[in-house]
Amino acid sequence: MAKKEDQFKSVISHAKEYGYIFQSSEIYDGLSAVYDYAQNGVELKNNIRNYWWKAMVQLHDNIVGIDAAILMHPTTWKASGHVDAFNDPLIDNKDSKKRYRADVLVEDYAAKIEGKIEKEVKKAEKRFGENFDKEQFLATNGRVKQHQEKIDTILKRLGRSLEKEDLVDVKALIEELGIACPESGSKNWTEVKQFNLMFGTKLGASADSAMDLYLRPETAQGIFVNFLNVQKTSRLKIPFGIAQTGKAFRNEIVARQFIFRMREFEQMEMQFFVRPNTQKEWYEKWKETRLKWHLSLGMGEDNYRFHDHEKLAHYADAAADIEFKFPFGFKELEGIHSRTDFDLSQHEQFSGKKLQYFDPELKESYVPYVVETSIGLDRMFLAVFSNSLQTEILENGSSRTVLKLPAVLAPTKAAILPLVKKDGLPELAKQIEAELKWDFKIAYDEKDAVGRRYRRQDAAGTPFCITVDHQSLEDQTVTLRHRDSMEQERVAIGTLASIIKEAVDVRSWLKKME
Ligand code: GAP
């Protein structure tokens, strides 16, 4: 089995074993592409949401937050274009009866070629050692250039065909590339068809009066329909933003890859309203700002890259993804979209209500243009979790599994461990816990040898362990163990709160964006 697959499998099993993520309704054999966040998962998820909210809302005096309902008037989705255009191209394999997204089959094919490039780079790195110049190698190596050209040609053609809705050509591309069904190995494909991703539901008790509704497929529309309400009540002047986090639902065809692509998921979106013709400038600015937010978490610059869209969504005049290197390769983590005045104009037209802004400087009214930043909270969770999970070989030859979560996001900030369960150590440990828990999520663990307890906390991602021993009773000091370096230091109990605060405080992490 490929190494990447092994790595991904260990991410999924670790998430379950350490109380991060469970399959939904597991006792009934689960529900495909739906997951539950467990005791540690919910803390990590809350911390990621909070990290985003602070950066986007609290630190911008021109961005406010809302929390709109999941259910919206059905005309919303007619106006937004989702009823007519929120489709994925699907294709069935006639032998395995499995359904795939046609574009994903082609993209996976391109990703395999990219894997070949990565192999060439690794080989060359070994050969040239310290003198290796990756950029020069990528630009000049013949085999790499051939691979890259092939990828570009395939993705360009896919983009063009999707843009023109030329589904016949998408199928032709799959056939020309000789793509086989991953399940059956057969190349016996149906035609490519469009499939609407929205979940329908009904409002009302009786069948006659019931109204057909959709579960929202994006949170953005809740912001657009409230645009004028928020602007008038907040008295914000353009440019300004409205942010929200919340659930979205999509009946995804390809629902593999754990929490990467779910049918029920959470988005963190911000719509930034700007003057017409300034959208390109703001689009660039938000691309830069969002990348800085990611980099502030210290998960490695090389793990991110921008991907500019060839095929633009029905509402956009420019769009880019921030891609992250997941265990299965570089994939979209966040989208930055220049949505023009499409949404507000459509809602004006369908509702018959004006959604215009009077610009006091220009002394004119207009429908603002919008630049959107949209990130999947679950996808961000997967990026953080998979990047943090590491197996280290220690000096004595043993190995340890450690979840090196950025301390600001870790579910539990410190674990308090009395060395033994007697002699008054548990009592002192409990006193320390009682004090620290006002500011931090703290764990208390007195079971097993202290070494095993350290390993448990390493694997759960806890940045600090505080060990209370007999000396603690005499001089009010404890051993503070750091998760990543495993270094231990003796510190006064009275200094614990400030040491932990410095390491986990959102402020010091977000300051890195400046
Ligand atoms: N309002 C724009 C919008 O929804 P999108 O590119 O379709 O744009 C934005 O989605 C982000 O939402 C993606 O970058 C991804 O992180 C997340 N996302 C989309 N579909 C998802 C799914 N099925 N499961 C998990 N996250 C998803």
Side-chain angles (χ1 to χ4, degrees):
M1 192 185 297
K3 245 182 146 187
K4 276 184 181 172
E5 280 171 36
D6 280 348
Q7 194 195 344
F8 191 39
K9 278 194 172 161
S10 48
V11 165
I12 298 169
S13 59
H14 196 89
K16 180 171 182 193
E17 192 181 341
Y18 284 89
Y20 276 87
I21 295 172
F22 303 143
Q23 174 77 60
S24 158
S25 340
E26 195 190 76
I27 59 167
Y28 295 106
D29 296 332
L31 187 63
S32 162
V34 187
Y35 291 91
D36 296 339
Y37 286 85
Q39 66 277 13
N40 283 323
V42 70
E43 299 285 347
L44 174 54
K45 199 176 174 199
N46 285 344
N47 291 345
I48 296 173
R49 195 190 293 106
N50 183 43
Y51 195 67
W52 182 88
W53 191 267
K54 284 229 159 131
M56 299 298 279
V57 181
Q58 191 169 322
L59 292 178
H60 285 98
D61 54 11
N62 62 348
I63 299 182
V64 292
I66 63 165
D67 183 16
I70 287 171
L71 298 177
M72 299 183 70
H73 193 283
T75 310
T76 308
W77 306 111
K78 205 59 204 145
S80 69
H82 284 80
V83 171
D84 298 319
F86 194 54
N87 302 318
D88 272 348
L90 70 85
I91 189 164
D92 292 311
N93 184 270
K94 291 182 192 163
D95 298 316
S96 67
K97 310 274 183 256
K98 286 267 166 201
R99 178 160 284 184
Y100 297 93
R101 253 175 72 175
D103 54 337
V104 172
L105 282 179
V106 176
E107 280 165 10
D108 285 351
Y109 182 91
K112 279 196 189 131
I113 309 177
E114 198 166 307
K116 290 183 187 168
I117 297 180
E118 276 177 29
K119 270 195 191 148
E120 295 285 348
V121 169
K122 284 223 168 83
K123 267 201 294 188
E125 242 166 10
K126 262 197 189 152
R127 199 160 7 117
F128 296 112
E130 277 186 358
N131 299 327
F132 182 61
D133 180 340
K134 188 172 166 188
E135 260 171 42
Q136 193 193 356
F137 179 78
L138 290 175
T140 54
N141 180 276
R143 260 198 307 271
V144 168
K145 275 168 59 184
Q146 255 177 10
H147 288 319
Q148 193 55 55
E149 272 164 28
K150 191 164 179 199
I151 295 174
D152 293 345
T153 312
I154 292 170
L155 294 183
K156 266 221 165 82
R157 177 160 159 204
L158 176 69
R160 262 201 319 267
S161 309
L162 291 174
E163 182 103 54
K164 289 190 291 178
E165 296 236 0
D166 184 353
L167 301 183
V168 174
D169 191 56
V170 177
K171 180 171 183 197
L173 182 58
I174 289 174
E175 285 177 334
E176 279 168 40
L177 296 173
I179 296 175
C181 166
E183 189 93 356
S184 63
S186 129
K187 296 176 188 169
N188 194 6
W189 296 109
T190 62
E191 299 308 310
V192 179
K193 284 178 280 195
Q194 292 289 21
F195 174 82
N196 193 286
L197 296 181
M198 283 196 293
F199 280 107
T201 186
K202 286 196 185 294
L203 181 89
S206 75
D208 307 342
S209 63
M211 187 181 194
D212 286 318
L213 295 186
Y214 296 103
L215 300 184
R216 68 180 177 198
E218 62 170 10
T219 57
Q221 298 304 325
I223 294 178
F224 292 127
V225 299
N226 279 301
F227 155 73
L228 216 51
N229 280 340
V230 174
Q231 194 276 321
K232 284 191 172 147
T233 51
S234 64
R235 302 171 68 209
L236 281 164
K237 289 199 173 72
I238 268 178
F240 73 92
I242 306 178
Q244 89 164 317
T245 71
K247 289 269 174 136
F249 302 82
R250 295 183 190 177
N251 197 359
E252 297 282 0
I253 304 160
V254 182
R256 288 175 277 130
Q257 296 171 319
F258 195 36
I259 56 169
F260 180 80
R261 200 180 301 285
M262 300 157 90
R263 296 203 162 105
E264 174 181 342
F265 59 100
E266 193 163 338
Q267 290 187 314
M268 306 191 287
E269 299 200 301
M270 192 277 300
Q271 312 297 324
F272 201 69
F273 300 90
V274 303
R275 272 186 193 161
N277 300 321
T278 62
Q279 72 270 23
K280 280 276 149 67
E281 210 177 292
W282 284 108
Y283 168 70
E284 293 304 333
K285 178 149 185 349
W286 277 111
K287 271 174 75 175
E288 188 192 325
T289 307
R290 292 302 305 147
L291 183 63
K292 276 193 191 161
W293 180 83
H294 286 284
L295 295 179
S296 72
L297 287 168
M299 299 203 298
E301 237 173 277
D302 290 350
N303 285 328
Y304 301 87
R305 70 181 187 194
F306 279 113
H307 165 75
D308 293 318
H309 284 207
E310 290 280 338
K311 176 188 184 263
L312 292 173
H314 57 274
Y315 48 73
D317 71 357
D321 296 335
I322 295 177
E323 293 189 336
F324 184 76
K325 197 170 184 189
F326 288 97
F328 36 85
F330 271 103
K331 294 270 178 207
E332 173 184 349
L333 170 59
E334 168 157 9
I336 293 105
H337 312 126
S338 173
R339 290 182 81 127
T340 65
D341 59 352
F342 176 84
D343 301 271
L344 291 179
S345 301
Q346 288 288 104
H347 288 305
E348 269 203 329
Q349 196 187 320
F350 278 75
S351 67
K353 312 259 164 42
K354 280 231 169 308
L355 291 176
Q356 302 204 353
Y357 168 80
F358 177 75
D359 192 321
E361 279 171 36
L362 299 181
K363 298 198 178 12
E364 64 180 65
S365 293
Y366 52 78
V367 176
Y369 272 52
V370 172
V371 174
E372 163 185 74
T373 72
S374 173
I375 176 168
L377 176 49
D378 314 85
R379 229 173 247 194
M380 183 62 193
F381 185 113
L382 183 59
V384 171
F385 193 87
S386 59
N387 188 68
S388 303
L389 185 59
Q390 295 173 22
T391 305
E392 287 180 349
I393 305 295
L394 304 180
E395 273 175 16
N396 63 6
S398 67
S399 73
R400 74 159 180 158
T401 301
V402 53
L403 192 61
K404 291 187 171 175
L405 297 170
V408 64
L409 302 180
T412 304
K413 303 304 185 194
I416 307 196
L417 320 171
L419 191 62
V420 289
K421 261 194 275 182
K422 55 182 183 182
D423 304 336
L425 301 190
E427 286 75 9
L428 179 56
K430 286 273 177 199
Q431 268 177 33
I432 299 172
E433 182 197 12
E435 185 52 37
L436 291 179
K437 74 179 180 190
W438 288 95
D439 294 314
F440 314 104
K441 179 97 174 63
I442 301 290
Y444 176 85
D445 188 3
E446 56 179 25
K447 202 167 164 275
D448 297 322
V450 77
R452 287 189 68 178
R453 283 183 267 167
Y454 284 156
R455 288 288 179 278
R456 256 200 311 269
Q457 296 301 333
D458 285 347
T462 310
F464 295 107
C465 283
I466 298 162
T467 308
V468 178
D469 56 19
H470 292 93
Q471 190 187 329
S472 311
L473 297 173
E474 285 162 24
D475 65 2
Q476 294 289 301
T477 64
V478 287
T479 301
L480 185 71
R481 177 183 178 274
H482 298 254
R483 177 196 65 198
D484 296 351
S485 63
M486 293 192 292
E487 266 168 27
Q488 301 188 8
E489 58 178 324
R490 200 80 199 169
V491 302
I493 292 171
T495 61
L496 283 169
S498 64
I499 296 174
I500 300 171
K501 184 172 189 299
E502 201 184 319
V504 307
D505 198 20
V506 175
R507 178 194 179 101
S508 49
W509 286 77
L510 279 179
K511 278 240 170 213
K512 293 179 204 157
M513 284 180 73
E514 282 175 355

